[in-house]
Amino acid sequence: MIIELAVGAAATAAAAYILRRIRDRRAPPPQEAGPPKPTGPRGLRVGDVLLYASEELWLAGMIELREEGEFIARLFQTPGSDHADWVVQLDPDAKDLALLKNTDVLPAGRVPAELRVQGILHNLMKRGTATLRAEGDDLRAAASGEFTFLSGTAGRVIVFVDGKGDERIAACGERVPAEMLDFLPGDAD
């Protein structure tokens, strides 16, 4: 009787092993992964549209600034807008945004740490050298450049970007509370 139980248990184990091998052969091969999904906050992207004061701000082109791989800002060109030439994303998840207009009232050369524009004193917020990456319609950028961001009272912001060999971007404007903007993604995220 003991021998019969041992032979039955061995036969069951052998059958289970054979069934597992057959099932493993029939399993489909693992799918190759496509491009990796972006991780972290989405932020704004080229092609997105912001609705502000009954106007659509189409983000047609972008210059991204990174310092040692860390996010500094994204400057989005907004053609055809009356409110802004640029939308500036000052944080990775696009909670801190400013609408800026190009200006030529700012000085040539190195930007000082304090600057009075339109009667408002602006103080140094950030300065450094960044890697520049351009994306979108009719926008190009040098591989690297100097940047200076100044901030003033009432949410005023001034942005300077001097790409090596490129024209200086000089723009000033104001931060915009997130509640005043509606966001329409430009792609199927």
Side-chain angles (χ1 to χ4, degrees), residues 50-71:
L50 297 176
L51 302 176
Y52 174 73
S54 73
E55 184 178 20
E56 293 181 359
L57 302 170
W58 172 51
L59 308 181
M62 173 195 71
I63 297 176
E64 183 177 60
L65 288 77
R66 290 189 171 270
E67 190 172 39
E68 297 178 8
E70 294 294 318
F71 177 89

Side-chain angles (χ1 to χ4, degrees), residues 103 105-106 115-122 156 158 172-174:
T103 184
V105 299
L106 305 172
L115 185 63
R116 189 171 297 277
V117 175
Q118 300 170 345
I120 297 174
L121 182 64
H122 295 78
R156 300 284 299 171
I158 300 176
C172 64
E174 298 178 355

Side-chain angles (χ1 to χ4, degrees), residues 25-176:
R25 285 186 191 150
R26 289 185 187 163
Q31 298 290 330
E32 290 202 22
K37 296 267 185 199
T39 58
R42 181 191 189 283
L44 299 176
R45 297 184 186 157
V46 171
D48 290 347
V49 176
L50 297 176
L51 302 176
Y52 174 73
S54 73
E55 184 178 20
E56 293 181 359
L57 302 170
W58 172 51
L59 308 181
M62 173 195 71
I63 297 176
E64 183 177 60
L65 288 77
R66 290 189 171 270
E67 190 172 39
E68 297 178 8
E70 294 294 318
F71 177 89
I72 300 297
R74 290 183 182 142
L75 286 75
F76 292 91
Q77 205 170 34
T78 57
S81 169
D82 293 332
H83 285 94
D85 296 316
W86 299 93
V87 171
V88 179
Q89 176 184 332
L90 296 165
D91 65 329
D93 56 356
K95 301 283 187 224
D96 190 5
L97 300 174
L99 303 180
L100 309 179
K101 293 289 275 180
N102 289 328
T103 184
D104 57 0
V105 299
L106 305 172
R110 184 160 171 86
V111 179
E114 288 185 344
L115 185 63
R116 189 171 297 277
V117 175
Q118 300 170 345
I120 297 174
L121 182 64
H122 295 78
N123 296 305
L124 183 64
M125 187 167 68
K126 280 185 208 174
R127 178 189 308 242
T129 301
T131 302
L132 307 178
R133 181 179 66 88
E135 180 182 326
D137 294 349
D138 300 325
L139 197 58
R140 62 181 182 80
S144 66
E146 302 289 321
F147 69 91
T148 305
F149 295 167
L150 303 171
S151 65
T153 58
R156 300 284 299 171
V157 177
I158 300 176
V159 171
F160 293 93
V161 178
D162 287 314
K164 293 180 171 67
D166 282 346
E167 223 176 278
R168 171 184 267 187
I169 296 172
C172 64
E174 298 178 355
R175 283 186 161 96
V176 178

Side-chain angles (χ1 to χ4, degrees), residues 13-34:
Y17 174 77
I18 292 170
L19 286 174
R20 263 195 315 269
R21 297 284 294 185
I22 292 171
R23 190 175 346 121
D24 288 345
R25 285 186 191 150
R26 289 185 187 163
Q31 298 290 330
E32 290 202 22

